[in-house]
């Protein structure tokens, strides 16, 4: 069989640029080179696109930018691939399928997915609408509520409202303290603060407002952090669940990526069989409610006192670093990393073909 021409798209302009580089390196190193011709496409923090042909190890360090060939993907079905600009000459590399490894805004929010739809190229992961819904934590939670799925109570405030602090305090009275203040559109716990009292609220709001105009304030729960990986299109399957025991008060950005391995990832999560199955079934229900495709990591909060499960958020392009839960959960569930990547690529092509299937 002819090898598939696969573009791995990494970097991006979000605050999770560095995480994307780590994920891309891991994915490229685990792809079967006998099955794929791999094109590495990097996007800088300034939004510049490059085709990179060098050492994979230089992706994580950022050195790839020095060796990249200026490139783009134009929104035309005539050029379903990568256009390069080098030495006053244009090059063209046709692409069969794209694996976006762009965490956060301008990559996980439907923007890149929209470009790939215009190009008519299959891509791994959720479609435009589902990506946008999951990127926005407020809309995600509203979908959960509409579907009758449990999620912590919350209120929404906007950046322009921050000056009227007293009004915001009244809004959050029924939530109580502690509560969490989050940018609505961001991942990897960037910009999130656990607020223990009213005095800490102004600083938390200002931090979150650096990253988004819309802010989510969520009721704090004394909870265990449980995660479950989901894979599939119309008939998704759920992995076993894992538990995160963070090195910090909650699983923030530093605890995820830069604490030297102090945070513990318990796989499988130490749960009774019936609770493990409840997590898996809720994960699938959330996945279907959001009409997801390909993959997602579904994050839960489990009340330490009552055992009640709450859906926290859904990540449509989860981390694929060497410590990331999504591939680790599948590995322990019986799907090695390289097999998982194959399945995701096949699901992308299946989803693309389904759009054009005749009845």
């Amino acid at each position: 069989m002819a090898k598939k021409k696969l573009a791995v798209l990494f970097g991006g302009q979000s605050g999770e640029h560095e995480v994307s580089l780590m994920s891309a390196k891991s994915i490229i190193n685990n792809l079967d080179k006998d099955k794929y011709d791999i094109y590495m496409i990097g996007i800088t923090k300034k939004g510049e696109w490059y085709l990179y042909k060098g050492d994979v190890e230089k992706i994580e360090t950022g050195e790839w930018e020095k060796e990249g060939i200026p490139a783009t993907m134009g929104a035309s079905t005539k050029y379903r691939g990568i256009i390069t600009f080098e030495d006053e000459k244009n090059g063209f590399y046709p692409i069969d399928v794209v694996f976006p490894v762009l965490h956060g805004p301008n990559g996980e929010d439907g923007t890149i997915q929209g470009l790939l739809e215009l190009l008519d190229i299959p891509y791994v992961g959720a479609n435009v609408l589902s990506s946008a819904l999951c990127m926005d934590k407020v809309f995600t939670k509203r979908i959960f509520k509409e579907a009758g799925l449990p999620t912590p109570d919350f209120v929404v405030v906007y950046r322009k409202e921050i000056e009227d602090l007293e009004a915001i305090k009244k809004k959050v009275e029924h939530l109580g303290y502690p509560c969490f203040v989050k940018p609505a559109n961001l991942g990897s716990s960037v910009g999130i603060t656990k607020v223990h009292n009213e005095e800490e609220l102004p600083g938390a709001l200002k931090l979150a407002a650096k990253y988004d105009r819309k802010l989510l304030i969520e009721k704090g729960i004394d909870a265990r952090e449980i995660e479950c990986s989901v894979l599939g299109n119309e008939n998704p399957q759920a992995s076993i669940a894992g538990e995160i025991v963070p090195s910090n008060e909650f699983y923030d950005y530093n605890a995820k990526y830069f604490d030297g391995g102090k945070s513990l990832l318990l796989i499988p999560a130490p749960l009774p069989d019936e609770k493990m199955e409840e997590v898996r079934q809720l994960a699938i229900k959330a996945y279907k409610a959001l009409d997801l495709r390909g993959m997602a990591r579904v994050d839960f909060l489990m009340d330490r006192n009552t055992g009640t499960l709450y859906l926290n958020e859904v990540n449509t392009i989860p981390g694929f670093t060497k410590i990331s839960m999504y591939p680790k959960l599948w590995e322990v569930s019986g799907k090695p990393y390289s097999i998982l990547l194959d399945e995701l690529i096949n699901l992308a092509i299946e989803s693309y073909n389904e759009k054009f299937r005749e009845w």
Side-chain angles (χ1 to χ4, degrees), residues 3 107-108 173 276-277:
K3 293 199 285 186
E108 197 174 352
E173 275 181 357
M276 176 70 77
E277 186 59 23

Side-chain angles (χ1 to χ4, degrees), residues 50-51 109 123 184:
Y50 292 98
L51 171 64
D109 56 1
Y123 55 90

Side-chain angles (χ1 to χ4, degrees), residues 23-285:
S23 291
K25 173 189 165 184
S26 293
I27 287 172
I28 293 164
N29 282 335
N30 283 279
L31 284 166
D32 188 336
K33 308 307 185 288
D34 292 328
K35 294 180 180 178
Y36 310 105
D37 286 326
I38 303 167
Y39 297 93
M40 299 178 284
I41 312 297
I43 305 174
T44 69
K45 290 181 179 179
K46 293 181 179 179
E48 299 161 340
W49 290 50
Y50 292 98
L51 171 64
Y52 176 61
K53 297 183 177 182
D55 185 352
V56 176
E57 299 304 310
K58 292 183 179 180
I59 292 177
E60 187 171 340
T61 63
E63 296 175 87
W64 65 273
E65 292 187 23
K66 301 174 184 177
E67 301 176 21
I69 301 168
T72 190
M73 297 180 79
S76 169
T77 55
K78 183 178 180 180
Y79 299 102
R80 299 173 69 229
I82 306 152
I83 302 167
T84 58
F85 311 94
E86 186 178 24
D87 299 328
E88 300 182 355
K89 295 180 180 178
N90 292 345
F92 178 66
Y93 300 80
I95 295 297
D96 296 320
V97 62
V98 173
F99 199 132
V101 195
L102 297 165
H103 306 308
N106 295 322
E108 197 174 352
D109 56 1
T111 50
I112 287 294
Q113 291 76 12
L115 172 61
L116 296 172
E117 291 281 353
L118 289 172
L119 278 164
D120 196 31
I121 299 179
Y123 55 90
V124 171
N127 63 21
V128 176
L129 177 60
S130 296
S131 296
L133 286 172
C134 290
M135 186 76 257
D136 190 311
K137 297 178 179 71
V138 174
F139 281 110
T140 303
K141 291 169 79 67
R142 286 173 177 163
I143 294 291
F144 289 160
K145 285 187 171 293
E146 191 276 337
L149 301 174
T151 190
D153 288 340
F154 66 98
V155 296
V156 181
V157 299
Y158 292 86
R159 184 187 288 151
K160 64 182 181 181
E161 298 179 58
I162 290 178
E163 293 180 4
D164 191 353
L165 187 60
E166 291 307 312
I168 293 177
K169 287 179 179 179
K170 288 181 180 178
K171 263 190 172 186
V172 303
E173 275 181 357
H174 73 284
L175 299 179
Y177 294 93
C179 62
F180 285 88
V181 176
K182 309 177 179 182
N185 292 276
L186 210 61
S188 284
S189 302
V190 175
I192 297 179
T193 305
K194 184 175 183 179
V195 178
H196 302 85
N197 50 56
E198 279 192 358
E199 288 70 30
E200 294 179 0
L201 189 59
L205 291 167
K206 288 178 181 177
L207 175 63
K210 288 182 179 180
Y211 299 98
D212 197 5
R213 55 177 280 276
K214 181 163 63 173
L215 314 179
L216 172 71
I217 306 177
E218 186 177 72
K219 182 179 178 62
I221 296 172
D222 181 16
R224 295 166 61 183
E225 300 189 40
I226 308 295
E227 297 187 350
C228 185
S229 297
V230 183
L231 174 73
N233 291 337
E234 275 75 17
N235 297 298
Q237 53 186 308
S239 71
I240 61 169
E243 180 173 1
I244 296 165
V245 182
S247 57
N248 294 340
E249 192 171 7
F250 68 98
Y251 202 38
D252 62 8
Y253 187 76
N254 286 329
K256 282 185 180 181
Y257 301 109
F258 301 107
D259 73 347
K262 294 177 184 176
S263 293
L264 300 178
L265 308 181
L266 307 180
I267 306 174
L271 298 171
D273 290 346
E274 63 274 14
K275 186 60 70 173
M276 176 70 77
E277 186 59 23
E278 184 183 353
V279 170
R280 296 175 73 240
Q281 291 305 314
L282 263 178
I284 289 174
K285 288 179 180 178

